Amino acid sequence: MNDLIVIGGGVAGLVAAWQAAEAGREVTLLEARDVLGGPVSEHVLAGLELDAGTESFATRGGRVAKMLEQLGLSDAVVEPNPAGAWVGFRDAASELNSVPGSNQAVGSFRAEPLPATGLLGIPGDLDAADLLRVLDAPGLARAQRDRDLPAEVGADAASLGDLVEQRMGRTVVERLVTPVAGGVYSADPYTIQVDAVAPGLRDQLLRTGSLAAAVHHLRSQAAPGSAVRSLKGGMHVLVRRLKERIEAAGGRVITANPVRSIHALSAEQVPQSADGVRYAVETDGEAFETRSLVVATEAEAALPLLAGLAPELGEVTWPAPATVTLVTLVVDAPALDELPRGTGILIAPDAPDVVAKAMTHASAKWRWAAQAAASGHPGRHLLRLSYGHAGAPSELSDEQLRRQAVADARVITGVDFADDAVVGTAVHVWRNAQPYRESPQTDRAIDVLTAPGSGLAVVGSWRSGTGLASVMPQAYDTVRKLLNDDVATAAQTHRRD
Ligand SMILES: Cc1cc2nc3c(=O)[nH]c(=O)nc-3n(C[C@H](O)[C@H](O)[C@H](O)COP(=O)(O)OP(=O)(O)OC[C@H]3O[C@@H](n4cnc5c(N)ncnc54)[C@H](O)[C@@H]3O)c2cc1C
């Protein structure tokens, strides 16, 4: 008999298992793959240990930083280079070339520093000088009409794309919101629910009368300073530390063991001596019984498993996870020491000559990565290109993707490095960029299943929203509540006895 089983060894499951193990519970974590962490994992390239997926966490709310402190990782927290990111798009407006200080176009692909103020790419200050560089004069003039439109325009728009288009016009959507929101959510802004990604934005629009003012207001409430941080050595250091802490507290972490089904045990099936055992969990080779259960997989896996407890959840359809392909290049190109595109670039889908949707210049962004790359190899750089526009290179072979990434990196950076300057490449395809969506029907069913005394919790990005700043606090709080409820239930049972 197990005391508490966690299904899924991504960050949500690891946080849950860590909390339960340190609270004195006997924990077993079952992970389907042979590695832990989901996208928070590592790879070794040209002798460098690097993040294969997730590379940072958002600082909002301060909860991740607090957990890192509890895990003894505060000293490893690092800030990115403040140089900031750029945006790449089609150079359509000849007027812009006469704007003083405008960056020279590379062919018809143009890159400009991303305007500083904004939320998901929506400008908060329509007079900012850097906006003209990106929007062109007609695009900026249309965006500024936001000030004169009645507050109601766009206030009932369901999607982020519709809201911004109605208030500020298509150029803002195409050149700013699509690249930024696409980079964060791997989704088209016309498919992103406003309230899911920017709660309070529509209310503020009605209150302040303009979208820019609403964005400015929400921005002013965010904590100052860098919006993201990471860990020296990479975000995957977190996964290693969580596993160490679970095992140090007596927990078991079992990989390559997918759970196939769960079901509740009835009172008749559970003998008195089994001390409140409630759930049966089956993997390919083993059957477990447990008092408490935490389901911490993606929606795709969680819903069929939970259907073993509430059949209606088997009927729920969740948006398919987006596919994100990351290609990492290790390049010997001293010209990149100049950081031609700051810490990286987001790319509008209509930008010509480039297939990538974003590129992070990792050795420009993180000092530890720059030091590791250049150690013994001055001028060595790390570039991470991401692909994931619908219909884009998912059909390309790894070799084709590598060649595409090299070609894209040359256009994006404007540095024409030779083929033999590329000393390492790696391709990772991620299918679990799990979209969050509002689903009152699912919420209700899960609320019933996880009611106090049930011994059940459901955590992970499909419940919390994507990103570590959402996933980690939700897993932490949900499991702390489960542990407290279990204590209360045990006390009641004891009193009844
Ligand atoms: C490429 C990429 C880059 C990202 N970059 C960032 C970033 O820089 N910053 C940021 O904050 N967020 C980033 N994210 C998002 C963030 O990494 C995720 O939101 C977070 O890691 C999700 O954690 P999770 O535990 O909810 O899910 P997952 O990590 O997906 O964990 C679910 C786990 O359940 C396992 N599982 C599934 N089915 C079963 C089963 N039947 N039995 C047992 N185990 C099962 C899976 O194998 C997986 O390990 C990125 C995501 C991707 C894909």
Side-chain angles (χ1 to χ4, degrees), residues 218-267:
L218 292 186
R219 257 312 266 227
S220 68
Q221 297 200 317
S226 161
V228 296
R229 301 225 170 124
S230 187
L231 292 173
K232 190 173 178 190
M235 223 38 242
H236 59 270
V237 168
L238 166 67
V239 169
R240 244 185 255 161
R241 179 58 60 92
L242 282 164
K243 178 172 185 277
E244 283 165 12
R245 291 288 287 262
I246 294 163
E247 291 179 335
R252 284 197 304 165
V253 176
I254 303 175
T255 52
N257 205 8
V259 170
R260 300 296 181 198
S261 71
I262 56 182
H263 62 267
L265 294 169
S266 63

Side-chain angles (χ1 to χ4, degrees), residues 44-381:
V44 177
L45 190 58
L48 300 163
E49 260 184 30
L50 305 168
D51 285 321
T54 305
E55 55 134 28
S56 61
F57 64 92
T59 53
R60 67 171 189 275
R63 296 285 307 278
V64 177
K66 214 162 238 157
M67 280 180 243
L68 293 173
E69 190 185 331
Q70 282 176 264
L71 288 162
L73 286 172
S74 286
D75 289 348
V77 173
V78 289
E79 288 198 38
N81 181 337
W86 287 48
V87 61
F89 52 90
R90 177 182 292 277
D91 186 17
S94 54
E95 307 95 284
L96 244 202
N97 293 332
S98 64
V99 173
S102 176
N103 190 64
Q104 270 303 306
V106 182
S108 50
F109 172 87
R110 202 168 92 220
E112 297 288 351
L114 190 65
T117 57
L119 173 81
L120 294 169
I122 311 169
D125 174 5
L126 291 168
D127 294 317
D130 47 8
L131 267 185
L132 180 58
R133 289 182 171 196
V134 175
L135 295 181
D136 295 345
L140 181 59
R142 170 64 188 88
Q144 287 174 338
R145 280 188 50 213
D146 171 51
R147 294 167 175 153
D148 308 321
L149 292 171
E152 295 73 33
V153 173
D156 60 355
S159 80
L160 187 66
D162 284 327
L163 169 63
V164 180
E165 183 175 342
Q166 287 179 41
R167 301 285 324 174
M168 295 184 173
R170 272 199 79 82
T171 308
V172 174
V173 178
E174 284 166 2
R175 295 190 179 176
L176 290 172
V177 179
T178 302
V180 175
V184 177
Y185 295 103
S186 305
D188 183 300
Y190 290 96
T191 66
I192 297 175
Q193 294 173 340
V194 182
D195 298 341
V197 296
L201 184 62
R202 294 195 302 174
D203 286 350
Q204 279 304 321
L205 165 60
L206 287 171
R207 204 160 294 160
T208 59
S210 90
L211 184 57
V215 164
H216 184 77
H217 176 83
L218 292 186
R219 257 312 266 227
S220 68
Q221 297 200 317
S226 161
V228 296
R229 301 225 170 124
S230 187
L231 292 173
K232 190 173 178 190
M235 223 38 242
H236 59 270
V237 168
L238 166 67
V239 169
R240 244 185 255 161
R241 179 58 60 92
L242 282 164
K243 178 172 185 277
E244 283 165 12
R245 291 288 287 262
I246 294 163
E247 291 179 335
R252 284 197 304 165
V253 176
I254 303 175
T255 52
N257 205 8
V259 170
R260 300 296 181 198
S261 71
I262 56 182
H263 62 267
L265 294 169
S266 63
E268 301 83 65
Q269 289 168 300
V270 184
Q272 204 65 23
S273 59
D275 191 21
V277 59
R278 299 184 183 101
Y279 298 101
V281 173
E282 277 180 26
T283 66
D284 283 338
E286 267 174 294
F288 301 83
E289 290 185 351
T290 184
R291 192 150 72 95
S292 309
L293 181 62
V294 179
V295 177
T297 71
E298 313 89 309
E300 250 182 339
L303 287 163
L305 287 176
L306 291 167
L309 305 175
E312 69 270 27
L313 285 173
E315 310 296 315
V316 173
T317 52
W318 211 256
T323 298
V324 177
T325 302
L326 291 182
V327 185
T328 307
L329 306 178
V330 184
V331 188
D332 284 333
L336 292 176
D337 291 350
E338 301 300 318
L339 315 190
R341 298 293 173 255
T343 56
I345 190 166
L346 296 159
I347 295 161
D350 73 340
D353 307 326
V354 173
V355 180
K357 68 169 192 169
M359 185 195 82
T360 303
H361 187 164
S363 49
K365 191 166 181 180
W366 308 110
R367 184 194 283 270
W368 69 266
Q371 285 169 343
S375 161
H377 303 280
R380 182 161 286 185
H381 284 265

Side-chain angles (χ1 to χ4, degrees), residues 7-13 30-33 35 37-40 53-58 257-260 296-298 301 305 324 326 384 430 432-433 459-462 465-469 471:
I7 305 175
V11 167
L30 299 168
E31 163 56 42
R33 297 171 63 210
V35 289
V40 192
T54 305
E55 55 134 28
S56 61
F57 64 92
N257 205 8
V259 170
R260 300 296 181 198
T297 71
E298 313 89 309
L305 287 176
V324 177
L326 291 182
R384 278 185 8 146
W430 297 104
N432 53 353
V459 299
S461 62
W462 71 286
T466 199
L468 300 180
V471 169

